[in-house]
Amino acid sequence: MVGAQARASSYLRRTLARAFSSSSISPFFHGIHVFQCPDSVGIVARLSECIASRGGNIHCVDVFVPEDKQIFYSRSEFAFDSTRWPRDVLESDFQKIAKHFNAERSIVRVPDLDPRYKIAVLASKQDHCLVDLLHRWQEGRLPVDINCIISNHPRTSNTHVIRFLERHGIPYHYLPTALGNKREQEMLGLVEDTDFLVLARYMQLLSGGFLQAYGKDIINIHHGLLPSFKGGNPSRQAFEAGVKLIGATSHFVTEELDAGPIIEQMVERVSHKDNLTSFVMKSENLEKQCISQAIKSYCELRVLPYENRKTVVF
C-alpha cells in the first residue's frame, strides 16, 4: 500500500506541475539537455541562444571535445518557465539544433514533468547492494520506479527484503537457473516495460541473445577495480594478495565479461590491520555506494558513450 501511495504522490506532483503550467502562475522547472555531434564552431552559442531566447536561465554547462577527435559533447542545466516554453516546444527547439549540427544524440529531460525511469533489479544471494538500493529508493535518493526484483535465489517471506517489497508493492520473481537454462526468455517478459536494468550482484552471465533482445542499457557492479580479481571469492583473492587499495567498479554490461564501459569507480585503503571480515565489509560498502552513484548519474543524463569502451561522465 505504501508503494501505491508513493506512486500516487508522484503522479499528483506531476499533475499539479502541469496544472500550474497552464494557470496564471509561472512556475520555473529544471531542465537537462545533453548533446553529441561533430565538432564545429558555434555549437555552445547556438544552444545558449536557444535557452535564452525562450526566457530560460542557464545554471551550468559542461563541454568535452577530445584532443584527437572532432566530436563535441555537452550537458546543460537550465531553469525555464513552462508557460513561455512548453515541454513539447522545448523538445522541438532542441531537435532543430540537432538537425542543424547533424547530432548523434540530443536528449532533453525535465525531471518534475517527465515520467521517472522504470527499472528492474536483478540480484542473487547477496543482499547488501539490493537492500541499499531499496532504502535509497524509499528515501527518494534514486529518481527511479522499481518495477520488480528478479533473483535466481529464493527469499522466504520472513526476510527483510521480502517484507520490504510486500510493504511497497514491488513484485519479487524467483527464477532458479540451471545449466543450459538461465530463464532469459521469462526475464525478457518481466523487464519489457523498463528503461534500464540494474545488476545488484547478480551472479549469472547474460547471453548476447538476451542483451540484443532487451536492447537497452544494463548497469552492473563489480568488486574491485577492473580487471582485477575476477571469478569466485574476489575479496579473499584480494585479501590473500595483500592489496593496499580496494575498489568497486560500476559499468555497462556487454557480451565480454566485466569489460563494458565504466561509469563509476570508488576506492578505499586497507592495511595489514584488516582481517577478512573488515576487508569484506569495506568492499561491500564501496559496492553499494558505487552502484547507487552510477544509477543517479545515469538518470541525471551525466553518462554518455565515448568510443567503443569508454564513457564521458559529466
Side-chain angles (χ1 to χ4, degrees):
M1 286 294 97
V2 178
Q5 291 172 357
R7 287 190 289 273
S9 175
S10 177
Y11 174 78
L12 178 61
R13 186 176 66 251
R14 293 196 298 270
T15 302
L16 288 173
R18 293 189 179 98
F20 280 132
S21 68
S22 61
S23 70
S24 58
I25 301 174
S26 299
F28 271 74
F29 290 102
H30 173 242
I32 306 169
H33 178 247
V34 294
F35 202 61
Q36 177 184 344
C37 68
D39 189 33
S40 63
V41 175
I43 303 173
V44 174
R46 184 70 178 270
L47 292 171
S48 301
E49 192 276 334
C50 174
I51 296 170
S53 69
R54 296 291 190 176
N57 183 32
I58 297 175
H59 288 177
C60 66
V61 178
D62 289 301
V63 172
F64 171 64
V65 179
E67 291 183 0
D68 57 344
K69 292 181 174 60
Q70 293 298 303
I71 307 173
F72 173 93
Y73 296 87
S74 73
R75 179 183 182 276
S76 307
E77 292 190 31
F78 55 95
F80 70 99
D81 182 341
S82 61
T83 62
R84 297 181 60 184
W85 201 9
R87 179 67 177 82
D88 58 338
V89 177
L90 182 153
E91 188 81 38
S92 176
D93 286 349
F94 280 118
Q95 284 303 318
K96 290 175 184 176
I97 298 175
K99 185 176 181 180
H100 176 80
F101 288 106
N102 296 314
E104 180 178 338
R105 189 180 312 270
S106 177
I107 304 172
V108 180
R109 184 156 183 80
V110 183
D112 286 333
L113 295 178
D114 297 345
R116 289 160 70 92
Y117 288 106
K118 293 180 289 186
I119 70 169
V121 181
L122 280 62
S124 288
K125 194 172 184 178
Q126 290 180 294
D127 277 344
H128 62 284
C129 285
L130 174 59
V131 169
D132 187 72
L133 289 178
L134 291 173
H135 283 289
R136 288 176 190 264
W137 168 81
Q138 181 187 38
E139 293 167 0
R141 291 191 282 162
L142 290 179
V144 297
D145 285 331
I146 302 176
N147 279 20
C148 66
I149 308 297
I150 301 172
S151 180
N152 60 324
H153 284 268
R155 286 173 170 83
T156 58
S157 58
N158 64 342
T159 60
H160 173 68
V161 168
I162 297 300
R163 290 198 301 268
F164 182 98
L165 297 179
E166 289 175 346
R167 286 199 306 272
H168 293 276
I170 301 173
Y172 182 85
H173 301 284
Y174 167 46
L175 298 180
T177 58
L179 188 63
N181 182 14
K182 295 192 175 182
R183 313 291 291 274
E184 290 188 341
Q185 204 60 41
E186 292 166 79
M187 279 198 291
L188 284 170
L190 295 172
V191 303
E192 183 178 12
D193 190 33
T194 59
D195 296 300
F196 65 97
L197 301 182
V198 175
L199 307 188
R201 303 298 284 127
Y202 185 65
M203 306 306 290
Q204 298 289 317
L205 297 180
L206 297 175
S207 71
F210 179 93
L211 300 181
Q212 185 174 11
Y214 181 63
K216 304 169 192 174
D217 289 326
I218 303 175
I219 297 175
N220 191 23
I221 183 66
H222 185 279
H223 39 259
L225 301 176
L226 294 174
S228 299
F229 306 115
K230 293 184 179 182
N233 295 314
S235 293
R236 182 177 289 277
Q237 291 182 51
F239 178 74
E240 292 177 349
V243 302
K244 304 304 181 189
L245 195 67
I246 60 173
T249 300
S250 187
H251 62 96
F252 289 114
V253 175
T254 61
E255 289 191 54
E256 188 177 353
L257 176 63
D258 294 332
I262 293 171
I263 304 170
E264 182 66 67
Q265 291 185 298
M266 294 183 178
V267 298
E268 182 173 342
R269 295 199 67 83
V270 291
S271 76
H272 59 277
K273 296 180 181 179
D274 282 289
N275 56 31
L276 183 57
T277 299
S278 65
F279 193 98
V280 170
M281 287 179 62
K282 289 181 178 181
S283 180
E284 290 182 349
N285 283 335
L286 286 175
E287 291 173 18
K288 293 187 292 187
Q289 296 174 58
C290 193
I291 187 68
S292 64
Q293 183 58 52
I295 294 170
K296 188 171 183 292
S297 294
Y298 184 87
C299 292
E300 293 175 352
L301 303 186
R302 296 184 183 277
V303 185
L304 294 172
Y306 172 45
E307 298 182 327
N308 292 327
R309 300 171 65 95
K310 297 181 181 180
T311 55
V312 172
V313 182
F314 286 118

